[in-house]
Amino acid sequence: MFRKTLIRLTALYLAIIMVISLAFSISLYQVSIKELERGLNNQTDIFMSRPRIRTLFDDPSFIITTRDSEFMQSRGRLIGNLALLNLIILIGGGFLSYYLARRSLKPIEEAHEAQARFTADASHELRTPLAAMQAEIEVSLMDPNLTLAQAKQQLNSNLEELAKLTYLSEGLLKLAHLEHNELDKKLTDLNKIIDSSVKAVEKRAKEKFATINFVRPKEKISVLADANSF
């Protein structure tokens, strides 16, 4: 998507540059031609008005032919120089247009990538508490000896997971309002994050007869993070 947009924007910038260049070249050509014609005419008039012995080279038709020849040669050189100038501008303008288009699209591309990453992370984080709640409820329903105290404990655990879901939902709303960078980051114990993550999937792992093996850091490690996101 961005590649096509980059090509179109580059072409647009290049078209603008070339329109300006061609307009300038046409104006310069017209002014130069008028000045060239006036200069040759003045030169011819001065040459014809000088008193001297008439020769073949003083014949008016010869002088006019010579003047026209010089005019055509000068016009040809002018057109060639302007064409070369526009060719250089076309090549240089192509690189400049690509650079400007790339620079213009970079913030949009970065914002799009950030949104895509956040959406993917949010989807993953939303599945985690849902999976934990499902596992806990399924285990509780399969237990015929479930007591009231255990049921209350189960409901409290579900409430914690629902609180996480609520927070994540608010994060998605902030993203919609371009406020997803306003996270409440503070120093958080990494061991607490690990314990919370393991606890969230522990019952699900037992149901699948899976074992969770992890090594907690011996020393206390604090990271700058939003604790409610885990």
Side-chain angles (χ1 to χ4, degrees), residues 33-210:
I33 287 297
K34 290 181 180 179
E35 291 297 323
L36 180 61
E37 288 179 342
R38 185 168 60 182
L40 289 175
N41 290 333
N42 291 337
Q43 183 178 0
T44 301
D45 293 339
I46 294 172
F47 184 79
M48 293 291 293
S49 62
R50 289 179 180 177
R52 60 189 178 279
I53 300 174
R54 307 288 294 183
T55 64
L56 176 64
F57 297 101
D58 296 329
D59 185 67
S61 61
F62 177 80
I63 295 174
I64 293 174
T65 302
T66 304
R67 182 194 64 184
D68 292 342
S69 177
E70 291 181 359
F71 174 77
M72 295 299 295
Q73 291 178 3
S74 299
R75 188 177 70 171
R77 288 193 297 269
L78 177 62
I79 293 175
N81 291 334
L82 289 176
L84 179 60
L85 176 63
N86 280 275
L87 179 61
I88 295 174
I89 292 176
L90 177 63
I91 297 174
F95 289 104
L96 179 61
S97 299
Y98 178 82
Y99 170 77
L100 293 176
R102 187 68 181 173
R103 186 172 181 179
S104 299
L105 290 176
K106 187 176 181 180
I108 302 175
E109 189 174 0
E110 290 177 350
H112 183 269
E113 291 177 355
Q115 182 179 1
R117 287 195 302 269
F118 183 86
T119 303
D121 294 342
S123 300
H124 173 74
E125 294 298 333
L126 285 172
R127 286 195 299 267
T128 301
L130 286 174
M133 289 175 59
Q134 181 181 359
E136 292 176 352
I137 293 173
E138 288 176 352
V139 171
S140 299
L141 290 176
M142 289 187 299
D143 187 2
N145 300 320
L146 182 67
T147 63
L148 180 60
Q150 291 174 334
K152 288 183 177 181
Q153 182 180 3
Q154 177 63 51
L155 291 175
N156 288 328
S157 177
N158 289 342
L159 285 175
E160 293 178 0
E161 299 299 332
L162 285 174
K164 292 183 179 181
L165 286 173
T166 301
Y167 182 83
L168 290 173
S169 299
E170 291 175 352
L172 290 174
L173 291 176
K174 288 182 179 180
L175 173 64
H177 293 87
L178 299 179
E179 298 176 358
H180 55 281
N181 289 324
E182 299 178 5
L183 298 176
D184 185 18
K185 294 182 179 180
K186 57 181 65 177
L187 289 177
T188 306
D189 188 358
L190 183 61
N191 288 328
K192 291 183 178 180
I193 296 176
I194 295 174
D195 294 338
S196 177
S197 300
V198 172
K199 183 180 178 181
V201 296
E202 193 173 22
K203 291 185 178 180
R204 184 78 171 181
K206 289 181 180 179
E207 181 186 354
K208 300 294 183 179
F209 302 101

Side-chain angles (χ1 to χ4, degrees), residues 2-18:
F2 283 100
R3 184 178 296 275
K4 292 182 179 179
T5 305
L6 177 62
I7 294 175
R8 292 176 181 175
L9 192 58
T10 300
L12 177 61
Y13 285 155
L14 182 58
I16 294 174
I17 293 174
M18 292 310 301

